[in-house]
Amino acid sequence: GENVEQHPSTLSVQEGDSAVIKCTYSDSASNYFPWYKQELGKRPQLIIDIRSNVGEKKDQRIAVTLNKTAKHFSLHITETQPEDSAVYFCAASKGRSGYSTLTFGKGTMLLVSP
Amino acid sequence: DADVTQTPRNRITKTGKRIMLECSQTKGHDRMYWYRQDPGLGLRLIYYSFDVKDINKGEISDGYSVSRQAQAKFSLSLESAIPNQTALYFCATESGGGELFFGEGSRLTVL
């Protein structure tokens, strides 16, 4: 089955800095790569996703890049703010084909200091 | 707003007791999931269901069972709870676009 590795496990930055979280996946058939944000005491929520037919996607201060050849994808947050502090999870799946389900990384705790 | 609701939100029980966690949704999604969250281990899939007559094991199904009573309801049971099942449990539904919508979570403590 799919295996998703996520690094780093914790990341501390100063407000205004950029933050990068990296994930690798093992199954070359995976084609859907979402990122979820979980604030303290809250439920995970989707913040951005990318499909294998594109290499990069942006939404305001966040962006995701995908390298299918190397089987890795990354989340980039620019101009970080204290409200970006949360646990971020990457995930991978083969989309809604067959019985494919999302496999999550173990999470990155991002702390943005004012 | 359409939502995913879990009950109970918190539960403390003793080893050997049977526990049921319930999930209901008003999003109209066919696909539903149960995940377990432990610190440092991320979200691990316990069971999932793609429609009312469909039940599938996830990566950590041992010690758990589920029931899909209707499109809107998906329950998780621990037949005989043990301390290492202490965790935060999330129910989720999946939209047609693949987005997961999580419930607020059920924190279970097994003494």
Side-chain angles (χ1 to χ4, degrees):
Chain A
E2 176 66 275
N3 182 49
V4 176
E5 299 283 342
Q6 183 172 348
H7 299 281
S9 56
T10 59
L11 179 59
S12 293
V13 300
Q14 293 290 123
E15 182 176 359
D17 288 349
S18 295
V20 180
I21 303 170
K22 299 181 179 181
C23 290
T24 60
Y25 61 99
S26 61
D27 190 341
S28 58
S30 289
N31 58 19
Y32 176 60
F33 308 93
W35 287 86
Y36 285 80
K37 175 184 180 182
Q38 185 181 24
E39 297 177 358
L40 187 63
K42 300 290 182 63
R43 66 186 93 182
Q45 292 186 302
L46 179 72
I47 55 171
I48 194 168
D49 59 12
I50 191 168
R51 299 183 191 273
S52 60
N53 57 343
V54 298
E56 184 176 6
K57 184 177 180 180
K58 291 183 179 181
D59 183 3
Q60 300 183 334
R61 295 186 298 107
I62 61 173
V64 58
T65 58
L66 171 65
N67 183 326
K68 290 190 296 181
T69 302
K71 289 189 285 188
H72 68 70
F73 57 110
S74 300
L75 178 71
H76 305 253
I77 306 174
T78 58
E79 301 173 18
T80 54
Q81 301 168 4
E83 52 264 39
D84 294 328
S85 296
V87 177
Y88 292 80
F89 294 100
C90 64
S93 78
K94 301 184 187 70
R96 287 173 65 88
S97 63
Y99 277 80
S100 177
T101 60
L102 278 173
T103 299
F104 284 88
K106 293 182 178 180
T108 296
M109 180 177 291
L110 173 65
L111 177 61
V112 181
S113 302
Chain B
D1 281 343
D3 204 358
V4 181
T5 303
Q6 293 182 229
T7 56
R9 296 291 312 283
N10 288 282
R11 181 73 184 268
I12 300 173
T13 192
K14 295 182 178 180
T15 297
K17 295 292 187 180
R18 184 178 187 273
I19 294 296
M20 178 179 286
L21 306 179
E22 299 185 335
C23 178
S24 63
Q25 53 114 346
T26 56
K27 289 191 168 294
H29 296 158
D30 289 324
R31 297 188 175 193
M32 297 187 72
Y33 301 81
W34 275 103
Y35 286 92
R36 168 177 172 161
Q37 184 175 24
D38 299 275
L41 296 180
L43 294 158
R44 293 183 292 166
L45 183 61
I46 306 172
Y47 269 96
Y48 60 103
S49 169
F50 284 177
D51 65 43
V52 174
K53 298 180 180 179
D54 179 69
I55 299 290
N56 304 282
K57 293 182 178 180
E59 62 177 300
I60 56 164
S61 60
D62 287 350
Y64 301 94
S65 63
V66 290
S67 173
R68 184 80 184 267
Q69 300 95 324
Q71 187 209 38
K73 296 185 182 296
F74 191 36
S75 300
L76 176 71
S77 293
L78 289 68
E79 296 301 327
S80 180
I82 57 177
N84 76 1
Q85 291 178 313
T86 293
L88 181 59
Y89 291 86
F90 283 104
C91 173
T93 69
E94 181 183 352
S95 70
E99 179 176 356
L100 293 184
F101 292 87
F102 289 86
E104 293 180 292
S106 296
R107 186 168 296 282
L108 177 65
T109 302
V110 183
L111 301 177

